[in-house]
Amino acid sequence: MECDVLVIGCGPAGLSAAGYAARAGYSVIAIDALAPGGQLLYIDEIENYPGVSSTSGFALAESFEKQAVSFGVSIEFMKAESIRKEGDAFIVTAGGDEIKSKAVIFASGARHRHLGCQGEEEYQGKGVSYCATCDGPFFKGRKIAVVGGGDTALTDALYLSKLGSEVHIIHRRGEFRGQKVLQDRVMAKENIFLHMNATVQSINGDGKGVKSVTLSDGSELDVNAVFIFVGVIPNSEMLEGFAELDKGFVVTDGHMRTSVPGLFAAGDVRTTPFRQVVTAAGDGAEAAHSADEYIQNL
Ligand SMILES: Cc1cc2nc3c(=O)[nH]c(=O)nc-3n(C[C@H](O)[C@H](O)[C@H](O)COP(=O)(O)OP(=O)(O)OC[C@H]3O[C@@H](n4cnc5c(N)ncnc54)[C@H](O)[C@@H]3O)c2cc1C
C-alpha cells in the first residue's frame, strides 16, 4: 500500500489529522489496531467537546469517522508494528503488510495505569474515572476519593475540592511525590482529607454507582466517585530508538514536528500537559498542516 500521509491511530487526534490532510488533497490511509474512536469509545457521556451538547463518546466517535471518510480517508484495521525511513519515504509494517508514505502522523494515544483492584473495571464510567476535568462536574456536592500522590493527583484533588463536598486523597506512601507548592495548597484545604500509607483494596457499589472504597487497613470510606491518577502509559513502543521520547511520550514542538523530519505526533501520545478530545483534535489539525508544509518542500 502507498499513500501521501499515513495516520497511525484513529482516535480524535488521528481522525482529525486524517480529515484535514485528505481535505487538503492528499491520499490518506488511517490505520487502527482496534476501532475508530480510540478512548472516545469508553466515554459514557461527554459534555465538554466545544459545539456539541452532551452526547455519548460512541456517537461522537461515529461522527469523527463519518466526517473523515467523507473527505476521502481510507480507514484500515491493522496494528502498526514498526517504522523505518528509506530515503525520504517512510515504511510502516502493519498486519504483515508494508505501507509506504511521504509523511506519518503518529496518533496512537495513551492508556491510564489501573489499580487492578476489585470493582475498578465494573464501576468505570459509573463513578470510577481517570480524568477530573471530564467527570468531576458529574459529582458536584458529593464525596470523592482521589488515588495517587504525584502532581496530577494533587492538582486534580484541588480542582475536585471545588466541586465535591469532601475529597479524600489515598496515597500508598508516607509522602507525596507532587510539588511542594501543590502539597501546601492541598494541606490548606478544609475539605481535603489525607489517607497516607494506604491502598485501595476494593471499590464497592450497588451496581449502578460507587458507594465506598475499602482501604488496606480494612476501613471503609463512603464516597460516590473514585478518581485514579497513578500514571499514564503512552502507546509509543514502536518509536523507541526511532524518534525522541520523554518517559515514553513523543517529543514535539508546537507544530507537532518530532525529532524525525516528516514524522508528526498528535494527541495523548505526545508530550503535552493536557489530554482531552478537543486538544487531541486540535493537535491533529496542526499535524496535518505541518505534514502539508513538509510534503510541499520535499
Ligand atoms: C473513561 C474516559 C473518559 C474520558 N472523558 C473525557 C471527556 O469527558 N472529555 C474529554 O475531552 N476527554 C475525555 N477523555 C480523554 C480523551 O478520550 C482522550 O484525551 C482522547 O481520546 C485522546 O485522543 P487520541 O486520538 O490522542 O488518542 P486515543 O483516543 O487513545 O486513540 C488512539 C488510537 O490509536 C490506536 N492505536 C494505538 N496503537 C496503535 C498501533 N500500534 N497501530 C494502530 N493503531 C493504534 C488505538 O486503538 C486508538 O484507537 C476520557 C478518556 C477516558 C478513558
Side-chain angles (χ1 to χ4, degrees), residues 8-14 31-35 37-40 42-43 46 48 78-80 107-110 112 134 235 238 266-268 275-278 280:
I8 299 175
C10 293
I31 63 171
D32 201 287
L34 297 171
Q39 292 172 64
L40 276 177
Y42 305 114
I43 308 178
I46 175 161
N48 62 356
M78 43 174 75
K79 183 176 181 188
S108 58
H112 295 277
C134 314
N235 300 319
M238 65 173 274
D268 281 15
R275 295 189 170 86
Q276 290 281 280
V277 177
V278 63

Side-chain angles (χ1 to χ4, degrees), residues 156-226:
D156 286 357
L158 287 164
Y159 168 75
L160 291 167
S161 71
K162 289 184 245 158
L163 301 169
S165 59
E166 291 178 12
V167 171
H168 295 265
I169 303 182
I170 302 161
H171 183 43
R172 67 190 166 127
R173 298 189 199 284
E175 285 175 5
F176 288 120
R177 268 182 300 109
Q179 297 169 53
K180 176 80 171 58
V181 60
L182 294 174
Q183 294 188 31
D184 292 345
R185 280 184 207 152
V186 160
M187 306 290 184
K189 278 274 179 182
E190 277 180 3
N191 66 338
I192 296 186
F193 304 90
L194 307 184
H195 304 264
M196 307 302 278
N197 296 307
T199 56
V200 176
Q201 293 294 302
S202 66
I203 299 172
N204 320 308
D206 60 1
K208 291 189 209 129
V210 169
K211 295 285 178 202
S212 69
V213 292
T214 304
L215 301 184
S216 38
D217 64 0
S219 62
E220 200 162 321
L221 200 59
D222 289 344
V223 289
N224 308 106
V226 185

Side-chain angles (χ1 to χ4, degrees), residues 21 25 27 56 100 106 112-113 150 166 178 189 227 239 262 284 287 295:
S27 60
S56 71
K100 188 176 175 188
F106 198 75
H112 295 277
R113 205 181 289 281
E166 291 178 12
K189 278 274 179 182
F227 286 82
L239 291 188
I295 293 173

Side-chain angles (χ1 to χ4, degrees), residues 93-298:
T93 58
D97 231 327
E98 284 200 339
I99 309 171
K100 188 176 175 188
S101 66
K102 293 177 184 158
V104 171
I105 298 176
F106 198 75
S108 58
R111 53 199 192 273
H112 295 277
R113 205 181 289 281
H114 288 198
L115 295 175
C117 70
Q118 196 187 321
E120 182 177 17
E121 300 304 317
E122 182 183 351
Y123 288 104
Q124 203 171 310
K126 296 177 187 165
V128 171
S129 171
Y130 304 87
C131 175
T133 323
C134 314
D135 297 324
F138 296 119
F139 298 97
K140 272 190 189 136
R142 317 294 298 277
K143 292 183 183 171
I144 296 171
V146 166
V147 186
D151 281 350
T152 309
L154 298 183
T155 308
D156 286 357
L158 287 164
Y159 168 75
L160 291 167
S161 71
K162 289 184 245 158
L163 301 169
S165 59
E166 291 178 12
V167 171
H168 295 265
I169 303 182
I170 302 161
H171 183 43
R172 67 190 166 127
R173 298 189 199 284
E175 285 175 5
F176 288 120
R177 268 182 300 109
Q179 297 169 53
K180 176 80 171 58
V181 60
L182 294 174
Q183 294 188 31
D184 292 345
R185 280 184 207 152
V186 160
M187 306 290 184
K189 278 274 179 182
E190 277 180 3
N191 66 338
I192 296 186
F193 304 90
L194 307 184
H195 304 264
M196 307 302 278
N197 296 307
T199 56
V200 176
Q201 293 294 302
S202 66
I203 299 172
N204 320 308
D206 60 1
K208 291 189 209 129
V210 169
K211 295 285 178 202
S212 69
V213 292
T214 304
L215 301 184
S216 38
D217 64 0
S219 62
E220 200 162 321
L221 200 59
D222 289 344
V223 289
N224 308 106
V226 185
F227 286 82
I228 300 168
F229 306 113
V230 292
V232 175
I233 308 166
N235 300 319
S236 63
E237 291 82 358
M238 65 173 274
L239 291 188
E240 277 166 24
F242 185 74
E244 188 186 347
L245 307 178
D246 178 9
K247 296 188 187 102
F249 292 97
V250 187
V251 176
T252 67
D253 64 10
H255 299 284
M256 309 305 139
R257 291 180 291 218
T258 70
S259 59
V260 180
L263 173 70
F264 305 88
D268 281 15
V269 76
R270 78 176 188 95
T271 45
T272 172
F274 198 40
R275 295 189 170 86
Q276 290 281 280
V277 177
V278 63
T279 51
D283 281 4
E286 184 77 42
H289 178 69
S290 297
D292 178 18
E293 261 180 10
Y294 169 80
I295 293 173
Q296 285 194 47
N297 289 314
L298 273 178

